[in-house]
Amino acid sequence: MKTRSNSQTSLDESKAVQYLLITTAVLFLGIMLVVPLITIFVEAFRKGAEAYFTSFNDEYVLQAIKLTFITAAIAVPLNLVFGVCASWAIAKYSFFGKSFLITLIDLPFAVSPVISGFVYILLFGAQGWFGSWLIENDVQIIFAVPGIVLATIFVTFPFVARELIPLMQEQGNDEEQAALLLGANGFQTFWKVTLPNIKWGLLYGVILCNARAMGEFGAVSVVSGHIQGVTNTMPLQVEILYNEYNFVAAFAVSTLLAILALLTLVLKYILEWKVARELKKLKNEE
Amino acid sequence: MKIEVKNLTKYFGKFVALDNINLEIIEGELLALLGPSGSGKTTLLRMIAGLETVDDTDKGEILFNNIDVSKKDIGDRDIGFVFQHYALFKHMTVFENIAFGLRVKPKKERLSNEQINKKVTKLLELIQLDGFANRFPWQLSGGQRQRVALARALAVQPKVLLLDEPFGALDAKVRADLRRWLKELQEELGITTVLVTHDQEEALEVADRIVVISKGKIEQIGTPEEVFHNPANEFVINFLGNVNLFHGREEDGRLDIDSSLENEDNNSKFLIRPHELEIVSVNNKDAILQAKIRYIQLAGSQVKIELTHLENETRTVLVEISHYEFREKNIQKGDIVGIRPRALRTFENGAGI
């Protein structure tokens, strides 16, 4: 960490206070974040590398990994499209109820994921609003893959929009208007002008969205029904393995999620830097 | 291309942005839309471009060569538009910015890469930026960026060029150079051009005709000489430079200043520009006013002199005379002098110069 300057001004705290604050922060992060992270890997390899790798040689585990990827593969693209549409609408137009829409996008952040899951049960469950219709038509949403996907979409939908709205608001729509006046059609304008301007912010949002989609536990847990090999995602499988006292396997699957988290952090760091650079360029232009 | 604006009224909610505008833009001329901010001049320009539409609640039409374009797509209007803040594509090089309009054309009309290369190179020469093809917008100065924006607009060979405060974001020296260059370029290309500005000096210098706009209405249309020397009303004379306000009566071409008329009707109001006043000796019989010299500003092409009325020190008069005349008359700060108008004209509504 870089301190402001070497020269002390009256506004700076004394050296002792500085060290105390820094030490507290580092210790806290170490105990709360780094130690658990190390524990995951230590526990996973407790019985050696062979035991670690055989953990994955299990039908249920492989099914859970597969389902997690399928869920993310559906939820992330949908939220990408929704996120771009919503931020486009919010940043480039003014319309009635705009601030309400911005608030609404944040709803999943404010609501407990478990509640989000319950909402879907109330809607689509056997006793729910659409329950009887769904049973008659032989459509199963709750305790099946569609429910898991829906819950995941709900929980992750702010990520892309939240990232893009400030970026697009900052950029305005002069460039788009210039492109249209030069004869470009809507698609060309989006593809050649808008997208290049938001690409880093978009990627950043997608990565955060993906991390959350793969790691979501609460909402998915409620709608999943915990059917091994059918409706269990990785986080749910970890819970089951752990409850079965199969610690090595539980931690082995956890390492996958931990690696995903670390990768996300690295990418997030790189992209944050890219986005900051784009915004700086924009500032220089004015 | 000839452009006609007929009975155009534009609302933004309940706000009347343009109020029954009638205007004809002649083929090949450079027309300046001049007015203070919020006057509606930019709205008018954006409506001609199609960036603002004539909605159902609005009235009037916009004709390009006698064809109504009010409902036409902006891409089909053959318009080159230059934005105040350039709006260059910041992830593209200067070359790609200029080539953009050529590259997005439908396949049938699109030029070959070779032809595009040639055309862009030519445009780069025109804007005196050859050698800058591979730079990015953020590596250019403001003046250079605005020239790139102009080249980008010209690349698609528009029939009209619309400029929205094109020099507004530049510093004074660059602005003066660039507008002279623009004027020459416009005359050379002969392209119909509409320029929006709030800077009267800029409008007076480059325009063939000026449209003075205030509060969504046209106050006057005329050549720079006409609007400057024969302003149609009080707004125009005030907006086109400094002006002195006197209250008095005119008798036999002579003005009698009378401060007691201050709150009376318009017929007692006279507006005289600083350069139309002369400083004479205090007992000169033609002097309309006795005043004391408070401040002299020597820097500039003219000497600016601020005086206060002798009877009422809170009222000031601004006079501009040449340096030659200033030395000749040996004027000093604190002198008590007479002020005489060089000419006196009145106009119909009573305000006179």
Side-chain angles (χ1 to χ4, degrees):
Chain A
M1 194 172 276
K2 210 172 113 189
T3 45
R4 208 179 320 161
S5 68
N6 294 328
S7 64
Q8 280 256 331
T9 70
S10 58
L11 284 175
D12 283 333
E13 291 83 9
S14 74
K15 277 271 182 278
V17 175
Q18 281 185 29
Y19 285 130
L20 185 68
L21 285 171
I22 293 168
T23 315
T24 313
V26 169
L27 266 180
F28 185 82
L29 281 175
I31 294 167
M32 299 304 290
L33 298 174
V34 181
V35 172
L37 191 64
I38 294 167
T39 313
I40 294 172
F41 286 90
V42 170
E43 289 294 326
F45 285 96
R46 186 168 285 273
K47 290 182 180 161
E50 207 186 336
Y52 174 81
F53 286 110
T54 44
S55 310
F56 295 110
N57 201 4
D58 175 280
E59 195 198 334
Y60 292 157
V61 170
L62 289 176
Q63 281 296 332
I65 293 171
K66 195 174 143 197
L67 181 60
T68 302
F69 278 93
I70 289 171
T71 308
I74 299 170
V76 173
L78 279 175
N79 278 335
L80 181 137
V81 172
F82 167 78
V84 172
C85 291
S87 35
W88 184 289
I90 286 166
K92 315 255 168 180
Y93 308 118
S94 57
F95 53 90
F96 180 75
K98 182 163 146 175
S99 51
F100 182 66
L101 182 62
I102 297 176
T103 314
L104 209 60
I105 287 173
D106 279 342
L107 185 71
F109 280 165
V111 174
S112 155
V114 177
I115 308 293
S116 333
F118 273 125
V119 171
Y120 283 103
I121 296 213
L122 286 175
L123 285 176
F124 304 121
Q127 319 296 325
W129 287 8
F130 305 110
S132 47
W133 185 88
L134 290 170
I135 290 166
E136 273 166 35
N137 290 280
D138 206 17
V139 182
Q140 190 165 10
I141 291 180
I142 299 305
F143 307 138
V145 177
I148 293 172
V149 173
L150 279 177
T152 306
I153 290 172
F154 181 86
V155 174
T156 57
F157 90 48
F159 286 97
V160 175
R162 271 282 117 195
E163 198 50 45
L164 289 185
I165 289 167
L167 190 64
M168 284 176 128
Q169 274 175 336
E170 181 92 7
Q171 289 175 339
N173 50 9
D174 273 8
E175 282 187 47
E176 278 82 9
Q177 290 182 347
L180 291 173
L181 282 160
L182 287 165
N185 58 36
F187 177 74
Q188 286 170 322
T189 303
F190 177 75
W191 198 250
K192 292 185 170 216
V193 177
T194 309
L195 200 57
N197 278 342
I198 61 168
K199 63 181 178 222
W200 297 119
L202 185 63
L203 204 56
Y204 181 74
V206 163
I207 281 168
L208 289 185
C209 179
N210 182 60
R212 182 70 193 268
M214 290 189 168
E216 176 55 26
F217 180 85
V220 171
S221 172
V222 175
V223 295
S224 133
H226 305 274
I227 309 160
Q228 287 213 55
V230 183
T231 62
N232 261 2
T233 58
M234 269 198 270
L236 300 181
Q237 190 66 26
V238 171
E239 192 202 21
I240 287 178
L241 290 169
Y242 189 83
N243 288 344
E244 288 170 350
Y245 303 104
N246 193 348
F247 296 132
V248 170
F251 281 106
V253 177
S254 302
T255 57
L256 294 184
L257 290 167
I259 289 166
L260 170 76
L262 291 173
L263 265 178
T264 305
L265 279 181
V266 172
L267 286 171
K268 179 174 173 291
Y269 181 78
I270 296 169
L271 290 172
E272 262 174 2
W273 176 75
K274 290 259 187 200
V275 171
R277 210 177 52 162
E278 291 283 310
L279 282 175
K280 205 173 145 201
K281 258 192 231 170
L282 203 74
K283 294 254 158 62
N284 280 347
E285 239 172 65
E286 272 154 20
Chain B
M1 187 158 63
K2 184 180 80 171
I3 300 172
E4 281 168 279
V5 177
K6 281 188 176 165
N7 308 320
L8 189 65
T9 299
K10 173 76 183 169
Y11 294 93
F12 287 124
K14 279 187 182 146
F15 176 73
V16 188
L18 294 173
D19 189 356
N20 197 25
I21 297 281
N22 280 289
L23 178 64
E24 190 172 326
I25 302 161
I26 302 160
E27 164 110 48
E29 78 171 334
L30 199 167
L31 184 86
L33 303 178
L34 175 67
S37 45
S39 59
K41 56 191 191 303
T42 296
T43 303
L44 179 55
L45 190 81
R46 290 173 64 88
M47 289 195 83
I48 294 171
L51 291 171
E52 303 289 348
T53 50
V54 182
D55 296 333
D56 298 336
T57 48
D58 305 326
K59 284 190 240 11
E61 48 185 7
I62 298 166
L63 308 175
F64 283 14
N65 283 340
N66 303 320
I67 298 162
D68 185 6
V69 292
S70 306
K71 301 273 185 262
K72 212 168 168 181
D73 238 25
I74 56 175
D76 303 330
R77 290 189 180 196
D78 280 330
I79 273 172
F81 198 98
V82 174
F83 293 81
Q84 182 177 2
H85 294 291
Y86 330 117
L88 292 177
F89 306 127
K90 53 184 160 301
H91 61 279
M92 293 183 202
T93 60
V94 166
F95 186 96
E96 284 306 318
N97 262 285
I98 298 172
F100 185 87
L102 303 170
R103 292 206 198 281
V104 295
K105 278 198 195 302
K107 260 221 166 84
K108 282 174 283 172
E109 303 165 36
R110 203 183 305 157
L111 301 172
S112 69
N113 270 338
E114 207 178 304
Q115 285 166 305
I116 291 179
N117 262 328
K118 238 171 148 182
K119 200 160 179 183
V120 174
T121 311
K122 240 176 139 181
L123 280 161
L124 280 167
E125 273 170 35
L126 184 75
I127 58 166
Q128 298 150 16
L129 282 179
D130 13 5
F132 285 71
N134 293 319
R135 301 267 187 111
F136 282 90
W138 51 276
Q139 296 170 309
L140 304 178
S141 71
Q144 290 170 334
R145 281 179 207 164
Q146 200 52 295
R147 267 151 44 205
V148 174
L150 195 66
R152 180 178 69 175
L154 289 172
V156 290
Q157 286 172 314
K159 297 205 176 80
V160 195
L161 196 56
L162 304 179
L163 312 167
D164 183 12
E165 304 247 9
F167 314 123
L170 305 172
D171 54 56
K173 177 81 177 88
V174 179
R175 191 172 358 183
D177 288 348
L178 208 52
R179 70 185 179 215
R180 220 152 294 146
W181 174 81
L182 175 82
K183 176 71 183 163
E184 281 166 22
L185 185 74
Q186 191 267 338
E187 275 173 3
E188 194 183 309
L189 299 174
I191 183 169
T192 313
T193 304
V194 183
L195 171 118
V196 158
T197 180
H198 63 266
D199 179 348
Q200 12 91 11
E201 222 179 287
E202 188 169 297
L204 292 171
E205 187 177 322
V206 300
D208 296 315
R209 288 195 307 151
I210 295 176
V211 179
V212 184
I213 300 182
S214 158
K215 292 178 185 160
K217 284 188 180 145
I218 292 180
E219 299 285 348
Q220 187 175 8
I221 304 177
T223 63
E225 291 75 30
E226 278 165 6
V227 293
F228 189 77
H229 294 295
N230 292 313
N233 55 39
E234 204 178 323
F235 175 82
V236 177
I237 191 172
N238 263 311
F239 196 68
L240 280 152
N242 287 321
V243 74
N244 293 301
L245 171 69
F246 297 105
H247 295 273
R249 278 209 183 79
E250 192 199 346
E251 274 164 34
D252 308 326
R254 209 192 116 84
L255 182 63
D256 273 334
I257 300 289
D258 186 351
S259 327
S260 66
L261 292 171
E262 254 174 47
N263 298 319
E264 289 203 8
D265 61 310
N266 260 343
N267 288 322
S268 66
K269 255 187 187 172
F270 291 84
L271 297 153
I272 308 179
R273 290 209 190 281
H275 70 267
E276 290 167 330
L277 289 173
E278 198 178 2
I279 290 180
V280 291
S281 71
V282 68
N283 20 0
N284 187 307
K285 63 177 169 46
D286 289 332
I288 56 167
L289 184 75
Q290 275 79 47
K292 186 176 174 181
I293 294 176
R294 187 166 76 176
Y295 179 72
I296 300 169
Q297 189 195 324
L298 282 162
S301 53
Q302 295 256 332
V303 181
K304 290 184 181 140
I305 302 167
E306 205 179 292
L307 309 96
T308 53
H309 290 214
L310 213 53
E311 308 108 79
N312 182 355
E313 290 213 351
T314 60
R315 295 189 56 86
T316 58
V317 186
L318 195 64
V319 178
E320 279 178 30
I321 58 172
S322 71
H323 286 272
Y324 175 79
E325 196 178 338
F326 176 74
R327 277 193 300 272
E328 184 109 306
K329 290 187 171 158
N330 191 25
I331 295 164
Q332 303 283 336
K333 190 173 163 182
D335 284 356
I336 291 173
V337 294
I339 287 172
R340 181 176 78 180
R342 293 175 200 267
L344 191 63
R345 276 167 289 158
T346 44
F347 34 22
E348 289 147 29
N349 64 359
I353 62 168

